[in-house]
Amino acid sequence: SKAVILGAISPSDERWPAAENLLKTAYHTLSSRGYSDDEIYLMSPVGISEISKDTMLPNSDTLTDYVLKTWAAADTRDVVLYLLGDSSKNADGEPVFCIPDESGTDLNKCPENLQLSASDLDSSLDALQTGNITVTVIYEGNNTATFLRQLIPPDGKKRILIGSTSENQSPD
């Protein structure tokens, strides 16, 4: 089993203390369920207090090109992907997960280089599931239903999708 935790809320955001707590809870929950440090890939803009594991800066290319297609696919039958952050829509109206830079993310101005589109994530998950791998995606943020609806698994594959909000709803 492997798990990816992607925390995409800037430390300069007023929500950071709550976000950091959620990231710690996700990490400790996975650890208590038997995931080792080597089986958890943690991506966050900064290190997480009380967690000694190194974190990688959130980056959509790293997530789709390396973490999901290479690291998560090696020697596993199931992958958990925990997303924490905001979604928006790109210029084409497609749902995107916004990854903050150092200055934070303005959802109305989520620049292209900080966007993880639902279709790109779906393609990466499809590639991951060419083997016999079950994927669980847990997404905590605003409008998660709109984003998750795009993550349809290939025929005959199992993908569990859990969101914290419906369309046009914030997690507040």
Side-chain angles (χ1 to χ4, degrees), residues 28-85:
H28 291 305
T29 299
L30 291 164
S31 294
S32 72
R33 299 290 187 268
Y35 286 80
S36 71
D37 271 353
D38 292 338
E39 295 170 325
I40 301 172
Y41 201 99
L42 182 59
M43 300 177 83
S44 173
V46 296
I48 308 298
S49 65
E50 301 173 27
I51 296 177
S52 58
K53 182 171 181 58
D54 290 336
T55 60
M56 295 291 298
L57 287 175
N59 176 297
S60 62
D61 292 335
T62 301
L63 177 67
T64 57
D65 295 340
Y66 172 71
V67 176
L68 292 177
K69 291 181 180 173
T70 303
W71 179 82
D75 302 319
T76 191
R77 293 185 326 183
D78 61 277
V79 173
V80 173
L81 174 59
Y82 176 77
L83 301 171
L84 175 65

Side-chain angles (χ1 to χ4, degrees), residues 17 23 62 67 81 84 100 105 109 119 134 147-148 154-155 158 160:
L23 294 171
T62 301
V67 176
L81 174 59
L84 175 65
T105 297
K109 299 174 187 169
S119 62
T134 297
F147 190 90
L148 292 173
D155 287 342
K158 186 174 181 181
I160 301 164

Side-chain angles (χ1 to χ4, degrees), residues 65-163:
D65 295 340
Y66 172 71
V67 176
L68 292 177
K69 291 181 180 173
T70 303
W71 179 82
D75 302 319
T76 191
R77 293 185 326 183
D78 61 277
V79 173
V80 173
L81 174 59
Y82 176 77
L83 301 171
L84 175 65
D86 295 316
S87 68
S88 185
K89 290 191 176 180
N90 64 17
D92 298 326
E94 178 184 16
V96 294
F97 182 75
C98 297
I99 299 173
D101 60 12
E102 299 79 31
S103 64
T105 297
D106 178 347
L107 281 181
N108 298 314
K109 299 174 187 169
C110 186
E112 243 180 79
N113 66 322
L114 299 178
Q115 296 177 6
L116 171 61
S117 72
S119 62
D120 285 348
L121 180 57
D122 183 56
S123 294
S124 294
L125 294 176
D126 289 352
L128 175 64
Q129 289 189 276
T130 56
N132 189 26
I133 296 176
T134 297
V135 171
T136 301
V137 179
I138 303 165
Y139 182 6
E140 291 198 61
N142 64 322
N143 307 314
T144 60
T146 304
F147 190 90
L148 292 173
R149 189 175 297 120
Q150 310 298 314
L151 306 181
I152 306 303
D155 287 342
K157 301 297 179 177
K158 186 174 181 181
R159 192 173 296 168
I160 301 164
L161 305 172
I162 303 167

